[in-house]
């Protein structure tokens, strides 16, 4: 083998062989001989043992491109991490470029990649530092564990885990814990037992009249057009945050040519939101009947239920009950797929969720085209939230007037408010649409927590802005808060008290947005980072922050960047005294 800079034996230089054909032939022969003599192959080599391990682990699973994230989960569940050798083997088995596998694995926060030569932690402890958990002592637990780390275990900060009413929340490996201390986590237990929520299985649901409406629809005793009309009369809207009228969305997709898909967004990552968990834990088949009716009315042949990874206990329930449902034959020709998120807030945006279902990074798509025309796998797609579909059976069974009449002040329907923060009784509260924040606290939450005075509230999670207690008499529903640059979104209500600095709360939320930005567009990616840095200063540059907020709202691709400035501008408008309070010693 020749050394660097040395000409191989028998090879002429370009100058020597250019005039003579035999010389060029001799050069090619010499190069071939050098290649034959090479003792290694270029590029990363796939470990045969790693291929054999994944062949065994994924033996019964298809290797289609859209299952990439599911396979990454399977590997991490089994080995506790994702090694470079397994990523290379997976790329080989799925016939994908290694770069494509790597970019997907590194996009999602729940995948723990271990580089070659690194020793993986035996367990990862994720501690939620979102606003509600921070208010309930998460920072003290983090500080304790950072000062005295548990041996062999990794401690990391994590965004909202969907249990804000029971914070601070910890994910100990795959187990979600509440009510634990730093000492418990350091010692590895004993931990408080998890909440055991009873639910109706398939038999109990059918005995209560379940799936009768689905049979009526299939037997033409219930007409698809009548279903859509009743949902419109009831005032049912998308309850994942946007509030788009359900009847109009179903009608749009129904008019599209097939094949069509239904994608269900159960990835409630908005800080302060945990209502979908509440519904699915207690009555999963009511959701299933709603989604089968939706698919039948709109002509969708397949259903994809996208469930957030922070709910492993719930995934086990959903998977078991879907198995019973399939065994019963009730879905008929409609195929139902359960897909698992991987820790990305952006996948609550419908097009980003669709990208994730397809096994890709959760990057929002440019629109048009809209997902109703070109969504999952390039086909027309109906996207609905869990809560929206949950109410379909009740509306058709009890009538649209019944549902519409549950609201207050002319607003239609009932809402699941996820209430956390400084109230005596936090949790999911089924309350009338159009209720005020003051009524919600006093009638459904037992009043303010002992020793706390109502100061402010977030009406729609992290992105919905922060309003002062002086505006506690505004009906909470879609469109009612626009004049205050706020919105109800997913109806996640976080209550702040006189013990809280609202500027600090807004900084916590902006840091969340900076961490969760997908990075696709510059206004969001850099805007959230710059805003968080400016807000960490003792004095805020109101003019600069205002310009930054406008740029983010005008130029960001999706709702994350457009809504991220809301808490910041709320502080500038309603709580300037809290900015001054941060300057005082």
């Amino acid at each position: 083998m020749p050394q660097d800079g040395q000409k191989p034996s028998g090879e002429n230089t370009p100058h020597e062989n250019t005039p003579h054909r035999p010389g060029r032939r001799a050069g090619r022969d010499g190069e071939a001989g050098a290649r034959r003599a090479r003792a290694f192959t270029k590029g990363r080599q796939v470990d045969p043992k790693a291929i054999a391990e994944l062949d065994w682990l994924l033996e019964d699973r298809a290797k289609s491109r859209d299952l990439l994230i599911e396979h990454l989960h399977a590997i991490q569940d089994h080995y506790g991490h994702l090694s470079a050798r397994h990523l290379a083997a997976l790329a080989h088995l799925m016939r994908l470029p290694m770069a494509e596998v790597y970019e997907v694995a590194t996009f999602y926060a729940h995948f723990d990649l271990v580089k070659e030569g690194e020793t993986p932690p035996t367990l990862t402890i994720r501690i939620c530092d979102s606003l509600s958990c921070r208010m309930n002592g998460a920072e003290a637990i983090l500080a304790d564990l950072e000062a005295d780390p548990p041996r062999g275990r990794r401690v990391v900060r994590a965004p909202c885990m969907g249990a804000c009413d029971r914070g601070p929340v910890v994910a100990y490996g795959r187990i979600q814990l509440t009510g634990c201390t730093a000492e418990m986590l350091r010692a590895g237990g004993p931990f408080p037992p998890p909440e055991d929520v009873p639910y109706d299985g398939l038999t109990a649901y059918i005995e209560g009249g379940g799936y009768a409406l689905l049979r009526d629809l299939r037997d033409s005793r219930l007409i698809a057009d009548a279903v859509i009309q009743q949902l419109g009369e009831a005032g049912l809207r998308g309850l994942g945050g946007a509030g788009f009228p359900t009847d109009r969305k179903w009608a749009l997709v129904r008019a599209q040519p097939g094949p069509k898909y239904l994608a269900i967004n159960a990835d409630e990552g908005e800080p302060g939101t945990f209502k979908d968990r509440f519904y699915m834990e207690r009555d999963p088949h009511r959701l299933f009947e709603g989604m089968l009716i939706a698919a039948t009315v709109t002509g969708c042949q397949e259903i994809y239920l996208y469930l957030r990874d922070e709910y492993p206990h719930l995934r086990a329930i959903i998977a078991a009950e879907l198995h019973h449902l399939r065994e019963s034959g009730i879905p008929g020709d409609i195929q139902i797929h359960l897909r698992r998120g991987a820790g990305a807030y952006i996948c609550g945006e419908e097009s980003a969720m669709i990208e994730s279902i397809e096994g890709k990074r959760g990057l929002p798509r440019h629109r048009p085209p809209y997902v109703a025309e070109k969504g999952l796998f390039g086909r027309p797609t109906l996207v609905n939230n869990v809560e929206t579909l949950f109410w379909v059976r009740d509306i058709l069974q009890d009538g649209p007037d019944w549902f519409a009449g549950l609201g207050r002040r002319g607003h239609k329907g009932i809402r699941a408010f996820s209430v956390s923060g400084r109230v005596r009784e936090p949790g999911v509260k089924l309350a009338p649409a159009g209720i005020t924040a003051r009524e919600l606290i006093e009638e459904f939450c037992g009043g303010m927590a002992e020793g706390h005075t109502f100061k402010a509230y977030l009406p729609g999670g992290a992105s919905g802005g922060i309003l002062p207690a002086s505006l506690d008499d505004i009906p909470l529903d879609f469109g009612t808060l626009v004049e205050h640059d706020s919105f109800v979104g997913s109806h996640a209500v976080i209550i702040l008290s006189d013990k809280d600095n609202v500027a600090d709360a807004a900084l916590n939320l902006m840091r969340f947005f900076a961490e969760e930005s997908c990075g696709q567009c510059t206004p969001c990616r850099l805007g959230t980072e710059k805003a968080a840095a400016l807000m960490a200063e003792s004095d805020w540059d109101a003019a600069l922050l205002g310009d930054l907020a406008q740029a983010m709202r005008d130029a960001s691709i999706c709702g994350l960047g457009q809504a991220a400035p809301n808490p910041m501008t709320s502080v500038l408008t309603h709580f300037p005294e809290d900015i001054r309070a941060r300057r005082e010693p």
Side-chain angles (χ1 to χ4, degrees):
M1 187 73 181
Q3 302 299 313
D4 290 344
Q6 181 179 351
K7 183 171 65 177
S9 176
E11 178 180 349
N12 295 321
T13 65
H15 176 74
E16 291 172 333
N17 64 39
T18 296
H20 307 289
R21 190 176 300 273
R24 290 200 295 270
R25 176 64 179 267
R28 289 195 294 270
D29 289 344
E31 291 168 1
R35 287 196 294 271
R36 287 194 297 271
R38 185 180 289 132
F40 62 91
T41 305
K42 288 184 176 181
R44 175 182 290 277
Q45 300 307 297
V46 183
D47 182 355
K49 184 180 178 181
I51 293 177
E53 289 168 348
L54 295 196
D55 264 333
W56 168 79
L57 181 64
L58 307 176
E59 180 181 8
D60 299 327
R61 301 175 184 231
K63 304 303 187 296
S64 57
R65 174 65 181 80
D66 60 293
L67 291 174
L68 174 57
I69 293 173
E70 295 298 306
H71 295 336
L72 290 170
H73 275 304
I75 297 168
Q76 178 155 303
D77 288 347
H78 185 78
Y79 292 100
H81 62 277
L82 298 176
S83 64
R85 57 191 289 272
H86 281 143
L87 290 180
L90 183 61
H92 173 80
L93 290 173
M94 297 188 71
R95 300 180 181 275
L96 293 173
M98 178 62 184
E100 195 168 336
V101 174
Y102 184 80
E103 74 174 7
V104 171
T106 53
F107 182 84
Y108 296 94
H110 287 190
F111 290 136
D112 297 322
L113 275 68
V114 175
K115 297 180 181 179
E116 291 169 315
E118 288 184 347
T119 301
T122 57
L123 184 136
T124 296
I125 301 172
R126 290 182 166 86
I127 300 176
C128 176
D129 67 351
S130 287
L131 182 57
S132 296
C133 285
R134 176 179 172 272
M135 293 163 66
N136 284 295
E139 288 295 335
I141 295 176
L142 280 161
D144 194 324
L145 294 179
E146 288 169 358
D148 185 11
R151 184 173 301 175
R153 283 160 285 173
R154 183 179 65 150
V155 178
V156 297
R157 293 174 177 267
C160 184
M161 299 182 189
C164 317
D165 53 333
R166 295 173 285 154
V169 187
V170 175
Y172 191 82
R174 298 293 307 147
I175 304 171
Q176 190 179 96
L177 302 172
T178 59
C180 57
T181 64
E183 189 54 43
M184 290 179 188
L185 296 170
R186 193 177 292 111
F191 300 119
E195 181 184 11
D196 186 15
V197 181
Y199 69 90
D200 285 342
L202 177 60
T203 301
Y205 185 75
I206 291 175
E207 290 175 351
Y211 297 109
L213 285 165
L214 178 64
R215 289 195 301 272
D216 289 346
L217 182 62
R218 287 174 172 168
D219 294 340
S220 299
R221 291 190 295 272
L222 183 61
I223 306 302
D225 287 337
V227 171
I228 293 176
Q229 181 180 346
Q230 289 186 63
L231 297 182
E233 293 172 356
L236 184 64
R237 306 181 73 161
L239 297 173
F244 192 82
T246 303
D247 61 316
R248 288 173 56 191
K249 182 180 286 190
W250 285 27
L252 285 170
V253 175
R254 186 164 186 254
Q256 296 294 322
K260 293 177 278 191
Y261 298 98
L262 167 59
I264 301 164
N265 191 340
D267 190 62
E268 52 178 1
E270 185 75 30
T273 309
F274 45 93
K275 63 183 178 63
D276 292 343
R277 185 203 77 205
F278 173 88
Y279 284 120
M280 291 184 287
E281 281 178 338
R282 288 159 176 79
D283 204 350
H285 284 278
R286 197 171 296 268
L287 165 64
F288 298 165
E289 183 167 17
M291 69 190 194
L292 286 169
I293 290 173
T296 303
V297 167
T298 57
C300 296
Q301 290 81 16
E302 295 186 48
I303 299 172
Y304 285 81
L305 175 55
Y306 188 83
L307 180 65
R308 71 179 313 198
D309 193 39
E310 287 82 353
Y311 295 160
H313 70 293
L314 187 52
R315 189 174 65 256
I317 293 172
I318 296 295
E321 292 305 315
L322 281 177
H323 173 74
H324 297 322
L325 186 65
R326 294 187 190 103
E327 290 289 307
S328 73
I330 289 173
D333 295 332
I334 297 175
Q335 298 182 47
I336 304 173
H337 310 272
L338 177 59
R339 290 294 172 87
R340 179 176 171 186
Y345 167 73
I346 191 61
C347 290
E349 196 275 341
E350 62 179 9
S351 66
M353 177 190 68
I354 285 173
E355 290 285 301
S356 187
I357 291 174
E358 293 179 354
K360 304 171 186 175
R361 295 176 295 165
L363 301 179
R365 297 176 180 177
H366 291 271
R367 289 170 283 193
Y370 295 92
V371 300
E373 302 167 320
K374 188 176 181 181
L376 189 58
F377 308 122
R379 300 303 307 166
T381 303
L382 173 64
V383 177
N384 272 146
N385 170 259
V386 168
E387 186 182 3
T388 302
L389 295 173
F390 186 89
W391 288 111
V392 168
R393 173 191 165 182
D394 295 84
I395 290 171
L396 299 179
Q397 182 174 279
D398 297 328
D401 291 342
W402 162 79
F403 184 80
L406 295 174
R408 288 185 184 176
R409 301 178 177 89
H411 297 271
K412 294 183 177 182
I414 195 169
R415 303 283 188 265
F417 290 88
S418 306
V419 185
S420 61
R422 309 298 191 184
V423 292
R424 195 183 301 273
E425 300 169 7
V428 174
K429 310 298 178 181
L430 297 181
I435 195 172
T436 68
R438 176 66 68 179
E439 291 169 341
L440 186 64
I441 294 170
E442 294 179 351
E443 297 178 29
F444 291 86
C445 301
M448 293 293 294
E450 189 70 29
H452 291 267
T453 301
F454 184 27
K455 176 180 179 178
Y457 67 105
L458 284 71
S463 55
I466 309 175
L467 297 178
S470 59
L471 297 177
D472 65 356
D473 58 347
I474 303 173
L476 298 180
D477 202 3
F478 297 108
T480 60
L481 305 176
V482 173
E483 63 178 296
H484 302 289
D485 295 323
S486 186
F487 54 81
V488 293
S490 63
H491 293 78
V493 179
I494 304 176
I495 304 299
L496 307 180
S497 78
D498 57 331
K499 304 293 192 295
D500 301 305
N501 184 292
V502 184
D504 288 340
L507 174 58
N508 174 277
L509 300 174
M510 188 60 75
R511 285 172 172 164
F512 165 81
F513 288 126
E515 179 67 26
E516 292 299 319
S517 171
C518 75
Q520 181 178 192
C521 66
T522 302
C524 176
R525 182 181 69 251
L526 298 184
T528 52
E529 291 181 0
K530 182 64 174 178
L534 292 171
M535 293 166 69
E537 299 290 335
S538 58
D539 196 9
W540 289 15
D541 186 332
L544 181 57
L545 288 172
D547 290 344
L548 184 59
Q550 195 61 50
M552 292 171 65
R553 287 168 175 158
D554 289 344
S556 294
I557 291 174
C558 79
L560 192 158
Q562 295 163 9
N566 289 346
M568 174 183 73
T569 55
S570 294
V571 173
L572 292 170
T573 301
H574 301 293
F575 306 98
E577 69 279 1
D578 281 28
I579 302 173
R580 291 192 294 270
R582 298 168 82 234
R583 298 198 299 263
E584 297 173 359

